[in-house]
């Protein structure tokens, strides 16, 4: 518990560490993943296992739009639909890439209303 | 033959008065009635026979009373199906029409007030309802209500049991007051205790201010009523129950607190070690205990009264096993080694992994236990690797593992994948050298820190302006959840402040997005609110962030 | 103002009153339509912990039905599951020819051992699979069947039966009785 507290404290209290505060309006890219497939990229990896692992890998980068909103004061703007992005499978036992089909969003602190809505 | 005629015949044949049967003692009614109501088992040990959707025969064990009317008997609402209360106190009262002119907005929280009008039940009409599905107005109730085939005596026992459900006020509930307590085990870190208590006290104080203002201002009273329904006029108290000394003596201390000032429910609670005696006490006394701050909760599929925030640190071990299960084809016959730091935390993590790994039918991992206090060395790791040539090395230990692991990386026979607990590594996780980051996978049972910042405003609300750096950030957020779940549940209870119904109501709540955990979910009988844990890797650079390699819930 | 309030109340109340006062003649009434769905190629996990590719599982050409339930669900799922169990019993030794698929809408809680216990409670025979998986994948499946529920507490009684002749699906909305379910299954060309 203690150690975990330190990580959160580092992030939440703005000390240099895991995350830095984002000023309103700057934002970050968020993906909602709609599909995935495995590309062995010449490695000869098993397609079924690859497909399953790419499910985990692609879904891991998927944002939850409700989660973005519920903290309060954030908005999401759609930038692109059904875009394909390629990410490495990142598995020590199998090579290849994952092709994730995503809707791309810009998520940011709302600039429309500087008095940020209070929580939920 | 018309359906009406069939129903009439059924009525005539099945509505024999249940009152003729000789009833067993009150204790036996509780025991036998609860078994019928909750498990669908008849007093003779056979399964109750039932028919649903008019014609589908089912065992009562698959379709018990409790599955819809819930443990308290106060009913449920799910999807489009509303289940009315089935406790004697409400059944034996006439259901009157909605009172005209009263400003009241119907919602999930008060649906049960809008059920159709009917006369009060009698033992006879209730027996007809249970056996034939026809209510005292002659209407047939929805086909989702099974029709149960019961002998007279069994019917009489069931009806007698229904009369005892939610029939007298729960302890701790006054006319306009609800008393709560929080259990604090002596020896808990004072900062942790304040972080646990502050959000609860904030919530209690806020509620009491509203009740006070409503007492003197009619507009506030009306607003309070529209917001909180029957709850609006109640005040809350929160008492600290401090437990001292040997856990074996806690039972007597708890009984004494409970005798002097019974609480409707225990909120939060904190212990640096075991929680088991408190859990047992609540279970035996039927006292809800909402979200104690403990690392090692009591695990049970059937215990009812303690609701935990999660399955504790073992949840990280379970997540590691599920993640590895997804790639088990790639590991094949190679070993998995678990290096376990002896102690509560290491054992819980290892046990979580071991249990889930066994459930999936895999060869057990090789366990190597490190004595408490003895530093982990590169040599010990080399030996473990040389002896077992594992594909995966799991290290359940603190940040002391980073340097020896760094040395192991030079070893050509090093395992392809290393798993460790990010919560145990703590802030040292960011100091993991770059060379170690590719094979190192970490368990993290919270929303990622960079994402949880979005919830700062919500979480700090409960500090009422106090400085956040004085508090334990994890516990503060956990307690935020406790007070919010409690508030929502009390609002949904439509004035029926019964202990079992509090837990039934939480079981009907939708999934929630709160600070700290990615998702908190409930469900009838579910007792571990946060069920997820990410597998993460460290990103590149000097102050690396966590990057997700799994979803919140891995199946 | 008063009229508006009364109207609002009536609107809000009607579903509740209908739900709880449906006369015997109304029971077992359900909506039926024939639809085409594109099954997403997602990997789910069955009650034994095995990974299955849903698209190949559902489009194998074998007769198949799909519903969305969860293990701790109170009212709707026991009815749907009683219907599945009833169909398996009716078919007796032929039951394994019919593939029944339940997909959890509560993947947070529903681990393979919990799915297995649920099936045992309904005395499920081989041929009835209960699947869990990642929330994102399950959301995608629900969306593909036009059956997305934002939360498990909002879910609706839906059953889908695939017609082997052209791969279209019969969509059944409502709490059916057992005879109707068997009949729908037969009509779809699966028996």
């Amino acid at each position: 518990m203690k150690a975990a507290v330190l990580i959160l404290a580092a992030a939440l209290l703005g000390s240099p560490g895991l995350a830095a505060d984002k000023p309103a309006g700057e934002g970050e890219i968020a993906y909602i993943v709609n599909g995935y497939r495995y590309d062995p990229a010449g490695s000869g990896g098993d397609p079924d296992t690859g497909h399953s692992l790419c499910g985990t890998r692609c879904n891991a980068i998927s944002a939850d739009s409700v989660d973005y909103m519920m903290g309060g004061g954030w908005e999401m703007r759609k930038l692109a639909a059904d875009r394909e992005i390629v990410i490495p499978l990142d598995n020590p036992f199998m090579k290849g890439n994952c092709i994730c089909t995503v809707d791309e969003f810009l998520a940011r602190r709302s600039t429309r209303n500087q008095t940020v809505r209070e929580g939920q | 033959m018309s359906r009406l005629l069939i129903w009439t015949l059924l009525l005539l044949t099945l509505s024999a008065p249940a009152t003729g049967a000789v009833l067993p003692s009150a204790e036996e009614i509780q025991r036998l009635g609860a078994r019928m109501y909750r498990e669908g088992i008849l007093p003779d040990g056979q399964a109750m026979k039932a028919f649903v959707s008019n014609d589908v025969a089912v065992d009562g064990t698959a379709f018990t009373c409790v599955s819809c009317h819930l443990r308290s008997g106060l009913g449920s609402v799910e999807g489009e199906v509303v289940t009315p209360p089935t406790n004697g106190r409400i059944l034996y009262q006439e259901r009157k029409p909605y009172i005209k002119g009263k400003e009241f907005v119907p919602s999930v929280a008060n649906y049960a007030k809008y059920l159709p009008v009917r006369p009060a039940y009698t033992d006879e009409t209730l027996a007809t309802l249970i056996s034939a599905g026809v209510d005292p107005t002659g209407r047939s109730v929805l086909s989702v209500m099974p029709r149960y085939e019961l002998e007279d005596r069994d019917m009489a026992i069931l009806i007698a049991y229904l009369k005892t459900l939610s029939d007298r006020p729960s302890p701790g509930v006054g006319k306009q007051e609800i008393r709560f307590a929080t259990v604090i085990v002596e020896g808990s870190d004072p900062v942790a205790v304040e972080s646990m208590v502050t959000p609860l006290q904030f919530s209690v104080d806020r509620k009491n201010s509203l009740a006070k203002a409503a007492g003197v201002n009619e507009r506030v009273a009306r607003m309070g009523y529209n917001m909180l329904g029957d709850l609006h006029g109640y005040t809350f108290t929160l008492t600290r129950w401090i437990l001292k000394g040997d856990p074996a003596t806690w039972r007597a201390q708890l009984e004494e607190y409970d005798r002097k000032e019974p609480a409707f429910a225990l909120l939060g609670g904190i212990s640096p070690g075991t929680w088991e005696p408190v859990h047992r006490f609540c279970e035996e006394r039927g006292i809800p205990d909402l979200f104690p701050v403990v690392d090692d909760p009591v695990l049970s599929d059937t215990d009812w009264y303690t609701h935990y925030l999660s399955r504790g640190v073992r949840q990280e071990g379970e997540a590691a096993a599920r993640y590895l299960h997804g790639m088990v084809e790639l590991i094949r016959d190679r070993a998995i080694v678990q290096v376990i730091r002896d102690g509560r935390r290491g054992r819980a993590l290892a046990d979580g992994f071991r249990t889930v790994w066994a459930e999936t039918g895999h060869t057990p991992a090789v366990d190597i236990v490190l004595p408490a206090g003895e530093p982990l060395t590169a040599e010990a790791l080399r030996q473990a690797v040389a002896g077992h040539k594992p594909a995966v090395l799991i290290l359940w230990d603190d940040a002391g593992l980073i340097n020896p692991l760094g040395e192991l990386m030079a070893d050509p026979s090093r395992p392809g994948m290393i798993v460790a607990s990010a919560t145990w590594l703590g802030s040292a996780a960011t100091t993991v050298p770059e060379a170690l980051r590719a094979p190192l996978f970490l368990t993290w049972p919270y929303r990622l820190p960079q994402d949880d910042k979005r919830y700062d405003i919500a979480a700090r609300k409960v500090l009422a302006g106090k400085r956040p750096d004085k508090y334990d950030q994890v516990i503060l957020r956990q307690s935020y959840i406790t007070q919010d779940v409690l508030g929502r549940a009390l609002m949904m209870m439509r004035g029926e402040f019964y202990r079992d119904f509090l837990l039934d109501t939480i079981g009907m709540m939708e999934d929630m997005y709160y600070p700290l955990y990615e998702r908190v979910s409930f469900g009838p009988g579910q007792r571990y609110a946060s069920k997820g844990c990410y597998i993460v890797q460290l990103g590149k650079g000097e102050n690396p962030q966590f990057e997700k390699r799994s979803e919140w819930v891995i199946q | 103002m008063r009229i508006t309030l009364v109207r609002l109340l009536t609107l809000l109340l009607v579903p509740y009153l209908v739900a709880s006062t449906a006369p015997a003649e109304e029971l077992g009434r359900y909506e039926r339509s024939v639809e085409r769905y594109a099954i997403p190629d997602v990997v789910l996990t069955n009650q034994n912990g095995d990974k299955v590719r849903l698209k190949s599982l559902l489009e194998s050409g074998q007769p198949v039905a799909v519903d969305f339930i969860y293990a701790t669900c109170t009212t709707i799922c026991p009815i749907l599951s009683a219907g599945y169990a009833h169909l398996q019993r009716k078919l007796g030794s032929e039951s394994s020819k019919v593939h029944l698929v339940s997909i959890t809408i509560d993947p947070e809680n529903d681990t393979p051992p919990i799915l297995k216990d649920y099936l045992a409670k309904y005395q499920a025979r081989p041929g009835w699979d209960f699947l869990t998986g990642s929330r994102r994948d399950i959301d995608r499946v629900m969306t593909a069947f036009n059956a997305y529920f934002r939360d498990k507490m909002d879910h609706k009684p839906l059953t889908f039966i695939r017609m082997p002749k052209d791969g279209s699906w019969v969509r059944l909305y409502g709490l059916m009785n057992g005879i109707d379910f068997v009949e729908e299954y037969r009509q779809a060309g699966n028996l």
Side-chain angles (χ1 to χ4, degrees), chain B residues 3 7 52-59 61-63 67-68 70 76-83 98 101 104 106 111 114-116 139-144 322 325-326 359 507-511 519 521-524 526 531 551-553 555, chain C residues 2 5 9 12-13 16-17 19-22 24-25 27 45 49 51 70 72-76 78-79 82 86 89 106-113 121-123 132-136 150-157 173 175-179:
Chain B
R3 282 200 175 205
W7 282 115
V52 291
S53 301
N54 292 344
D55 60 348
V56 179
V58 290
D59 264 0
T61 50
F63 219 133
S67 61
C68 299
L70 307 185
S76 66
V77 58
E78 183 187 300
E80 295 163 345
V81 179
V82 175
T83 309
Y98 169 69
F104 206 81
Y111 66 90
Y114 297 93
L115 290 166
R139 269 190 309 247
S140 173
V141 297
L142 197 64
S143 61
V144 291
R322 294 204 176 95
H325 173 64
E359 275 169 11
M508 285 188 278
M509 280 175 60
E510 295 191 337
D511 294 5
R519 197 174 173 112
S521 69
F522 309 94
Q526 296 185 20
K531 297 161 181 94
E551 280 192 288
W552 174 240
V553 169
Q555 296 290 8
Chain C
R2 176 83 37 190
L5 187 65
L9 287 174
L12 286 163
L13 292 182
Y16 291 125
L17 296 177
S20 48
T21 60
E25 284 72 17
L27 301 180
T45 304
K51 303 276 175 190
Y70 62 101
T72 61
C73 160
T74 56
T75 49
I76 296 169
I79 296 274
H86 179 72
R89 270 202 307 274
D106 186 17
E108 303 269 326
N109 186 64
D110 288 354
T111 59
K121 198 166 84 168
Y122 286 90
Q123 294 159 12
T132 187
S134 85
R135 178 171 290 282
R136 189 73 205 116
R150 194 190 65 78
D151 191 274
K152 66 180 185 290
M153 298 310 284
D154 299 330
H155 77 140
K156 293 181 170 50
Y173 170 39
L175 291 167
M176 277 178 295
N177 62 40
I179 294 168

Side-chain angles (χ1 to χ4, degrees), chain B residues 272-292:
Chain B
T274 182
W275 192 251
E276 174 123 23
V278 186
H279 177 106
R280 291 279 151 250
F281 171 76
C282 289
E283 201 57 30
E284 283 160 34
R285 291 295 182 95
I287 304 173
D289 178 9
L290 298 185
F291 309 122

Side-chain angles (χ1 to χ4, degrees), chain B residues 109-124:
Chain B
N110 55 36
Y111 66 90
K113 291 185 173 167
Y114 297 93
L115 290 166
V117 174
R118 56 149 178 78
Y121 275 93
T122 62
D123 288 358
E124 287 74 19

Side-chain angles (χ1 to χ4, degrees), chain B residues 271-336:
Chain B
S271 168
T274 182
W275 192 251
E276 174 123 23
V278 186
H279 177 106
R280 291 279 151 250
F281 171 76
C282 289
E283 201 57 30
E284 283 160 34
R285 291 295 182 95
I287 304 173
D289 178 9
L290 298 185
F291 309 122
V293 174
V294 288
D295 281 342
D296 195 7
V298 177
L299 295 185
S300 164
D301 292 334
T302 51
D303 283 359
W304 184 257
Y305 288 97
T306 303
H307 210 320
Y308 292 100
L309 286 153
S310 74
R311 292 162 67 82
V313 293
R314 72 160 29 233
Q315 203 157 298
E316 295 179 55
E318 294 171 349
R322 294 204 176 95
Y323 186 69
L324 288 181
H325 173 64
M327 60 188 75
V328 72
E329 298 290 323
L330 304 175
I331 301 169
R332 292 216 178 81
D333 300 328
R334 282 180 290 165
I336 295 178

